[in-house]
Amino acid sequence: MAHDYSFPQELLTLPIADRISYFQQYTMAHPKLLIAAEKLKNAIDNPGFFSLIFLFGPTGVGKTTLLRRITQRLLASFHKEMELDKGFIPIANIEVATPEFSNFDWKDFYLRALGVLQDPCIQLPSYGRITNLKLKTSLEAALKHRRLKVFCLDEAQNLSKVASGRKLRDQTDCIKSLANLTQVKFVLAGTYDLLILRNLSAQLCRRSLDIHFERYKVENEEDLKAFRGVVQTFQRHLPFEEEPDLLKYWDFCYERSFGCVGILKDWLSQALATALLDGAKTLTLSHLKSSAYSHEQCMIIFNETRLGEKQLEFTPDSSALRIALGLESHHGSATHSTSQTTNTTNTKSRRSTTGNTKPQRRPVGGGENVG
Ligand SMILES: Nc1ncnc2c1ncn2[C@@H]1O[C@H](COP(=O)(O)OP(=O)(O)OP(=O)(O)O)[C@@H](O)[C@H]1O
Ligand SMILES: [Mg+2]
């Protein structure tokens, strides 16, 4: 099947390490990545309105890969401006660190952010007297001075790791105020734990945008087709003498990756290394099995993923808002439009609305600390 193979055939003459590195570096533009990338690009290009962009999805779906792709594209599109003004940085990226102790470390955050902006014009206070406020002011100045357009915070769910619900509110307020003061768009990327932050305040939601980077779901016909396409494309880029027939095992690929392309990719990289070191000409089911996540590991990751997805599946029915505002009665009739509606029915229906336990504005209950 060598004629169908998409990797550079000369790779086969190179050392094993080069072949592995080729596959590790290979990035595929698959449909779910392209959908999320398009939304992110539009939100970034849209001047003004969205100051916070939440990008969330399951672990291993490819969020970091998407940020990298967007960063490269934006840098390329501003290439000329950057040549003319060496101090201009259109986009920067940091990973929000997991706090060592249970509380989020703002000092570490500011220093990392200042580190990627490396602004020679900003005088940092001497370390001994460094305060969060001074660092925040320095960061504001650096963001403005660099004329940054977009700041991507990867693993942003770590921002929610604070000791109390009240502090959680401060976390989002702090990012929001940085965005407002500097006119920089902040992309907060992370797992579904990020929803805790995004649900926090109505004001925050008004100027924020959600982008859900989903996995492929087997119950959806189109997703299934696309996932099989992903498996086939990876198959063609695995640098073996003989093209493996991964498509034959697509359901096993799905079983241990649950439709997350990044998990599948890391798994295949591992299997490729094992097979090449074995001197194998192609990838077999036994290589796949020996490199896969165990059932237990899969169950843990999958349950966590489902939990996140379920939070997003809740959609309040369209009349919930109208009922809450008193525009509509519980039974769907407009409270003010019909002359037959008596005062008694009105009072009744309002009372029954109060007793309605359905959450009506935000799909996920926030405010609790997860850290
Ligand atoms: N479209 C893709 N094509 C090829 N490889 C990919 C693609 N998307 C992700 N990968 C690879 O899969 C692995 C996991 O992807 P990535 O780190 O982007 O996922 P993530 O969603 O950020 O995961 P986490 O939540 O654990 O941070 C990485 O090795 C990455 O290079
Ligand atoms: Mg990541």
Side-chain angles (χ1 to χ4, degrees):
M1 290 215 269
H3 61 284
D4 254 357
Y5 245 9
S6 310
F7 67 86
Q9 293 292 311
E10 61 274 16
L11 261 182
L12 295 177
T13 60
L14 297 180
I16 286 177
D18 292 337
R19 295 202 225 170
I20 297 171
S21 155
Y22 164 82
F23 186 72
Q24 277 173 343
Q25 279 163 32
Y26 167 69
T27 305
M28 181 199 310
H30 59 92
K32 299 265 185 204
L33 174 82
L34 293 177
I35 291 170
E38 183 67 15
K39 286 183 186 164
L40 188 51
K41 186 181 170 299
N42 288 343
I44 287 173
D45 290 348
N46 184 344
F49 195 74
F50 301 116
S51 50
L52 298 190
I53 301 158
F54 289 93
L55 170 69
F56 42 79
T59 186
V61 78
K63 302 175 295 294
T64 303
T65 303
L66 170 57
L67 291 186
R68 214 172 289 140
R69 189 183 157 102
I70 286 283
T71 305
Q72 281 164 359
R73 301 223 154 169
L74 208 71
L75 288 176
S77 73
F78 281 103
H79 180 70
K80 272 196 189 132
E81 287 88 335
M82 289 167 72
E83 280 288 305
L84 291 173
D85 176 359
K86 301 280 187 215
F88 172 44
I89 303 180
I91 184 165
N93 248 292
I94 60 165
E95 185 175 316
V96 179
T98 316
E100 251 178 73
F101 306 103
S102 59
N103 250 348
F104 184 76
D105 184 352
W106 277 103
K107 198 169 280 181
D108 176 78
F109 172 84
Y110 290 134
L111 288 171
R112 273 168 197 256
L114 284 162
V116 292
L117 296 174
Q118 285 178 349
D119 197 331
C121 301
I122 306 299
Q123 286 284 315
L124 278 184
S126 64
Y127 198 85
R129 282 182 289 135
I130 218 160
T131 63
N132 280 359
L133 186 62
K134 279 184 187 159
L135 284 171
K136 188 180 179 209
T137 313
S138 300
L139 180 58
E140 277 166 32
L143 291 169
K144 284 183 192 159
H145 187 241
R146 289 301 196 185
R147 295 195 293 117
L148 200 81
K149 292 184 180 300
V150 187
F151 204 173
C152 303
L153 311 182
D154 199 3
E155 303 285 344
Q157 74 276 4
N158 286 331
L159 278 162
S160 70
K161 294 185 176 158
V162 289
S164 73
R166 196 176 54 78
K167 276 198 171 172
L168 198 53
R169 177 73 181 253
D170 296 342
Q171 299 290 98
T172 40
D173 282 349
C174 194
I175 299 289
K176 195 172 62 183
S177 107
L178 267 177
N180 288 346
L181 289 167
T182 59
Q183 303 299 306
V184 170
K185 286 175 193 266
F186 279 75
V187 178
L188 280 73
T191 58
Y192 292 115
D193 286 346
L194 195 55
L195 293 173
I196 295 166
L197 290 178
R198 99 89 153 83
N199 292 323
L200 258 183
S201 77
Q203 199 195 352
L204 183 71
C205 288
R206 206 174 67 78
R207 303 219 34 217
S208 74
L209 176 78
D210 291 347
I211 299 175
H212 186 190
F213 190 170
E214 294 181 76
R215 67 189 174 95
Y216 291 96
K217 292 191 179 143
V218 79
E219 56 272 29
N220 177 323
E221 197 65 41
E222 254 183 48
D223 276 17
L224 183 56
K225 206 167 137 201
F227 181 77
R228 287 163 59 100
V230 166
V231 171
Q232 190 167 32
T233 308
F234 276 144
Q235 165 181 324
R236 292 194 175 138
H237 284 270
L238 282 165
F240 284 105
E241 277 171 55
E242 232 177 76
E243 183 175 335
D245 192 359
L246 270 191
L247 205 49
K248 193 161 129 196
Y249 309 117
W250 76 265
D251 62 338
F252 184 55
C253 291
Y254 189 89
E255 178 190 308
R256 303 298 170 94
S257 71
F258 13 93
C260 292
V261 171
I263 293 183
L264 177 64
K265 166 74 183 298
D266 284 346
W267 171 18
L268 291 177
S269 297
Q270 184 73 38
L272 167 71
T274 313
L276 289 180
L277 291 170
D278 269 4
K281 285 190 171 164
T282 194
L283 196 75
T284 62
L285 185 59
S286 85
H287 295 128
L288 275 182
K289 282 186 174 166
S290 66
S291 313
Y293 275 142
S294 69
H295 279 118
E296 291 74 19
Q297 286 170 311
C298 286
M299 279 314 287
I300 293 169
I301 305 173
F302 183 64
N303 285 339
E304 215 167 89
T305 297
R306 276 303 295 147
L307 211 65
E309 288 171 346
K310 275 187 190 150
Q311 294 182 59
L312 291 161
E313 280 161 15
F314 172 81
T315 41
D317 70 73
S318 58
S319 58
L321 173 66
R322 293 179 63 80
I323 293 172
L325 290 169
L327 283 171
E328 220 172 79
S329 81
H330 208 49
H331 309 290
S333 55
T335 48
H336 296 288
S337 60
T338 53
S339 51
Q340 291 103 311
T341 319
T342 61
N343 276 343
T344 344
T345 27
N346 255 343
T347 325
K348 249 191 200 162
S349 66
R350 286 222 183 94
R351 218 179 279 137
S352 59
T353 309
T354 323
N356 181 8
T357 50
K358 267 191 190 172
Q360 297 186 343
R361 185 155 51 82
R362 293 174 213 148
V364 197
E368 285 308 308
N369 176 33
V370 292

